[in-house]
Amino acid sequence: METGQLSLADIDALIDDRPQDGAFRVSRAAVREEAIFDLEMRHIFESSWVFLGLACQIPNPHDFFTTRIGHQPVIVSRDGAGRIRCFINSCRHRGAMVCHRAAGNAKRHACQYHGWVYDSSGACVDVKDEKQGAYTQAFLSEDHGLAQVRLGDYRGFLFGALNHDGRPHDVPAIEDHLGDVRMMLDLIVDQSPEGLEVVPGVVRYTYDGNWKLQLENGTDPYHFTSTHPSYMQILGERGKQAASGGHTSIYQNFNQKSISRGAFCFPNGHAAIWGETPSSDARPIFRRLAEITQRLGEARAKWMLYTRNLSIFPNVQFAENAALQMRIWRPLSAGKTEMTTFCLAPKGEDRAARAVRIRQYEEFFNPSGLATPDDANAYEDCQAGNVTGAINFHQGYARGMAAVRRGGDEHAAELGMNPSTSIVGAFEMGDETVFHETYRTWRNLLREGLERDLVVGART
Amino acid sequence: MSGADITGIAARVLNEEARALDEQRFDDWLDMYAHDAVFWVPAWTDEGRLTSDPETQLSLIHCTRAQLAERVGRVEGGRSQASSPLPRTAHIVSNVIADEIAPGVLRVSSVATTHAFNIKRRTTTTTFALVEHDLAREDERWLIARKTFRLQNDYIATMMDFYTI
């Protein structure tokens, strides 16, 4: 497959979606082909809403962090007036990256090449030696500021939408893009009346596999018992040794209880899984349950104690099980992905609860922990096994199809959500319908993008 | 003891630790740690600082000796696909400087370079770090009472564990 030669029929063939026959299959080309990857970058990552980070990462005027939207470096900055902005991290003079730090506080960002200077709103405040530059009016009438990127802010969850080729296309308002998945984000941000914060320290790693392998794994209960037995064994041993009383991990008692699991698909590719927590008393917010119940009611307090993994398409997951992780990925190629991961916590948490949170986080989520290395190894095995077109379709999207229902169920109703699909069953059901809407969205964005490309191609 | 003697003792302990890891004698490696030892790999912040308080900030690894023993058990139990087969490693210890900070307690700084060859993928990763050990005299042995591993290249290739650094 080469990008320039992909047809709409090629895109349509990436998913075998036949509800009438109970079939849903995804082509193995989806994670393998660089041509598909190029389309993904241009028509998903560089053309639609992409998660950037949290407003609480830049609480003060002139605070900033840098990230990428697709391939494009951007700066997310709180300007002097306190307004959050996102602009392209590329000097208007010759394109050099202006800011090289991951985060900090700066009133000015100066390009080190020819010395153009920008303020924290992205405006150009100095074209070096402008007066002596013998510029024409044509240059002087241009805006020299760093190019602003459309920013969406839902309760401090920041998103940016790039227009990769300058051709007009519309993205919906961020609230419409998120839809009812907002209620799941609310469960994260409302855990403390003071809101959310990032525990200091960031962990970055790469794996040799496609970004969608991480996207899938985050809402995949089916892998848990076979990928993480070494972790479960450690927790089992700890449980035996513990004299009595509280649990140090939410997964203790995992085997002793029948745990139900549910999943929701949402429009625009978002998805979530939820489940009862085996040992709720190991959750750091457990001891604050009375306050939470009083403030938000019993249903939402119950949901906060549930295990919840949330994918916001295309590039972030919030995983709340052992602790609360924000994992953002950046696809580097069809076969390589960069992960940037943060430990989140409700503000004002007491020191003991915070320490419990951090230890559980490190143990489960870090690439130096006891679980994530096994996930990442599995992604690499998937990528390594899938190198030719000898087999067309995966068989990995079929579990749960006989049980899934359109629309919301009584669990979704507890949060006032109306998802596209709902399912609930035993943990062992290991639902895979949770990926279906995501792949439909993915295919539709690629198709619409390629259609735009073909129209432009026909004109030129 | 002279400074040279102390540094010689410390280098011997650090080299033995590296050797035990490279030969995958993990029980011997664990046996070099005091029962209340802490093994700590702090994370970096995006502002370019190492985290300094593991109770309120994130670490890459923060383990008691008991938790190190769990990690050894996990690796040797063969149920972790990330640790099976184990990579072949070469732990290189250099730039050792030791000071006696209290009677029977040495504070040792060193530089660690570790090469790990992933047999499954046929790839090699290299990590390098500034390391601080506290060694405590217990009977005739010097035990590791504390190890802080300041990972300089914290852009992790897939995974890391006690045996890859």
Side-chain angles (χ1 to χ4, degrees):
Chain A
M1 280 187 190
E2 288 178 36
T3 310
Q5 293 164 1
L6 282 176
S7 68
L8 293 175
D10 291 329
I11 303 303
D12 290 339
L14 290 171
I15 304 178
D16 176 26
D17 185 8
R18 289 175 287 122
Q20 67 281 10
D21 301 327
F24 190 96
R25 301 189 296 174
V26 177
S27 167
R28 293 159 67 109
V31 296
R32 184 183 65 230
E33 296 293 338
E34 292 295 343
I36 302 292
F37 172 81
D38 289 343
L39 273 189
E40 289 174 338
M41 294 308 276
R42 290 192 290 129
H43 296 305
I44 297 176
F45 283 83
E46 296 165 5
S47 298
S48 64
W49 287 115
V50 165
F51 182 73
L52 303 171
L54 298 170
C56 67
Q57 292 174 266
I58 46 172
N60 302 309
H62 315 300
D63 282 350
F64 70 89
F65 65 82
T66 58
T67 182
R68 301 209 182 215
I69 299 178
H71 294 299
Q72 180 63 57
V74 298
I75 302 171
V76 182
S77 171
R78 195 181 284 272
D79 68 19
R83 183 179 161 194
I84 297 174
R85 297 166 177 273
C86 177
F87 34 85
I88 288 180
N89 187 1
S90 175
C91 183
R92 295 306 295 270
H93 180 245
R94 293 278 175 81
M97 276 178 72
V98 171
C99 180
H100 300 277
R101 292 153 65 195
N105 181 282
K107 287 182 181 166
R108 299 274 187 270
H109 297 278
C111 178
Q112 293 170 305
Y113 193 8
H114 297 91
W116 287 26
V117 180
Y118 304 91
D119 71 13
S120 61
S121 74
C124 182
V125 293
D126 188 35
V127 171
K128 188 184 73 180
D129 299 334
E130 181 177 339
K131 285 194 175 64
Q132 300 93 322
Y135 283 117
T136 62
Q137 192 56 41
F139 172 88
L140 294 172
S141 63
E142 282 191 277
D143 176 6
H144 308 303
L146 295 174
Q148 300 282 325
V149 174
R150 186 165 169 192
L151 184 90
D153 178 350
Y154 177 71
R155 300 197 65 194
F157 296 90
L158 305 177
F159 298 81
L162 206 63
N163 191 347
H164 78 98
D165 54 5
R167 298 204 302 265
H169 73 278
D170 292 324
V171 292
I174 191 63
E175 290 77 10
D176 296 332
H177 171 71
L178 293 171
D180 282 359
V181 89
R182 283 177 296 170
M183 285 73 159
M184 302 292 283
L185 292 172
D186 291 343
L187 291 174
I188 295 170
V189 78
D190 284 335
Q191 290 179 24
S192 159
E194 301 167 61
L196 199 59
E197 68 183 355
V198 177
V199 173
V202 54
V203 174
R204 285 195 180 80
Y205 60 99
T206 59
Y207 64 85
D208 292 330
N210 189 273
W211 61 278
K212 294 187 291 300
L213 294 165
Q214 174 64 54
L215 174 68
E216 291 178 0
N217 176 270
T219 56
D220 174 21
Y222 189 40
H223 79 285
F224 192 79
T225 50
S226 44
T227 302
H228 302 301
S230 67
Y231 177 59
M232 299 308 295
Q233 187 171 355
I234 286 174
L235 298 182
E237 294 295 326
R238 280 184 203 169
K240 279 184 235 160
Q241 286 162 15
S244 62
H247 299 98
T248 57
S249 162
I250 62 143
Y251 289 116
Q252 277 164 336
N253 289 335
F254 180 80
N255 295 323
Q256 284 87 45
K257 287 187 181 174
S258 67
I259 308 278
S260 61
R261 270 291 160 129
F264 304 119
C265 286
F266 296 92
N268 298 323
H270 316 310
I273 59 170
W274 62 272
E276 295 157 298
T277 299
S279 295
S280 289
D281 59 344
R283 289 290 294 274
I285 61 166
F286 186 78
R287 62 191 82 185
R288 290 183 34 245
L289 201 57
E291 182 275 320
I292 291 169
T293 306
Q294 191 183 20
R295 185 161 44 88
L296 300 169
E298 281 190 14
R300 290 213 273 162
K302 180 181 77 174
W303 273 86
M304 276 184 191
L305 281 183
Y306 281 172
T307 298
R308 288 167 283 113
N309 283 15
L310 180 61
S311 296
I312 307 291
F313 190 78
N315 73 320
V316 67
Q317 278 165 345
F318 295 90
E320 181 139 23
N321 42 55
L324 172 55
Q325 184 182 44
M326 176 169 80
R327 52 171 90 109
I328 306 170
W329 54 82
R330 177 161 78 94
L332 301 175
S333 67
K336 196 172 182 81
T337 305
E338 176 192 88
M339 302 294 300
T340 302
T341 59
F342 299 90
C343 176
L344 305 185
K347 268 188 195 161
E349 189 166 61
D350 70 68
R351 200 178 159 89
R354 183 58 59 89
V356 166
R357 173 185 298 279
I358 290 171
R359 286 295 93 76
Q360 288 197 69
Y361 179 94
E362 291 160 355
E363 208 168 79
F364 190 81
F365 288 123
N366 270 347
S368 46
L370 307 175
T372 291
D374 293 317
D375 292 311
N377 179 79
Y379 312 159
E380 295 191 341
D381 276 346
C382 290
Q383 201 74 23
N386 173 13
V387 290
T388 70
I391 304 168
N392 192 353
F393 289 109
H394 286 303
Q395 299 179 354
Y397 304 91
R399 296 180 71 87
M401 282 189 77
V404 70
R405 59 190 265 187
R406 301 299 305 175
D409 59 12
E410 68 272 27
H411 305 285
E414 290 179 346
L415 293 174
M417 299 189 301
N418 184 27
S420 309
T421 66
S422 307
I423 189 168
V424 66
F427 185 89
E428 293 78 10
M429 182 171 68
D431 170 64
E432 293 169 340
T433 65
V434 71
F435 308 123
H436 291 189
E437 288 295 309
T438 301
Y439 272 104
R440 289 182 184 122
T441 296
W442 168 81
R443 191 261 324 268
N444 291 346
L445 288 171
L446 295 185
R447 196 178 204 288
E448 289 160 17
L450 188 58
E451 274 176 333
R452 288 198 299 272
D453 284 349
L454 293 172
V455 168
V456 171
R459 278 201 213 115
T460 53
Chain B
M1 283 189 287
S2 73
D5 289 342
I6 290 168
T7 296
I9 289 167
R12 172 93 198 180
V13 174
L14 269 52
N15 287 337
E16 283 176 359
E17 184 191 16
R19 191 73 179 197
L21 288 171
D22 289 338
E23 293 178 354
Q24 298 179 0
R25 291 182 286 105
F26 297 137
D27 289 335
D28 291 347
W29 173 74
L30 204 55
D31 192 47
M32 299 183 72
Y33 280 76
H35 74 279
D36 57 351
V38 172
F39 181 100
W40 184 29
V41 186
W44 290 86
T45 69
D46 264 344
E47 289 77 19
R49 290 183 293 273
L50 274 172
T51 57
S52 55
D53 177 6
E55 299 299 300
T56 60
Q57 300 174 321
L58 198 64
S59 302
L60 283 162
I61 299 176
H62 187 275
C63 277
T64 61
R65 188 189 184 284
Q67 289 159 343
L68 288 182
E70 290 175 343
R71 285 184 182 246
V72 169
R74 175 171 177 268
V75 165
E76 294 189 332
R79 300 178 78 189
S80 159
Q81 56 176 297
S83 348
S84 175
L86 278 165
R88 296 184 206 125
T89 62
H91 287 73
I92 297 161
V93 176
S94 64
N95 307 23
V96 178
I97 301 173
D99 292 302
E100 190 166 21
I101 57 169
V105 181
L106 306 185
R107 181 151 295 170
V108 191
S109 71
S110 64
V111 174
T113 307
T114 305
H115 304 281
F117 176 64
N118 183 326
I119 295 167
K120 218 185 304 194
R121 313 270 176 236
R122 297 179 184 163
T123 54
T124 298
T125 56
T126 303
T127 54
F128 45 95
L130 310 183
V131 187
E132 193 170 272
H133 286 76
D134 278 357
L135 304 181
R137 183 94 182 172
E138 205 173 286
D139 301 325
E140 294 306 302
R141 303 174 62 205
W142 288 94
L143 293 180
I144 300 167
R146 185 179 67 83
K147 178 172 177 176
T148 302
F149 195 94
R150 296 183 172 86
L151 182 66
Q152 298 285 72
N153 57 333
D154 70 322
Y155 190 65
I156 296 164
T158 311
M159 57 84 67
M160 62 176 260
D161 206 338
F162 69 91
Y163 54 87
T164 69
I165 58 172

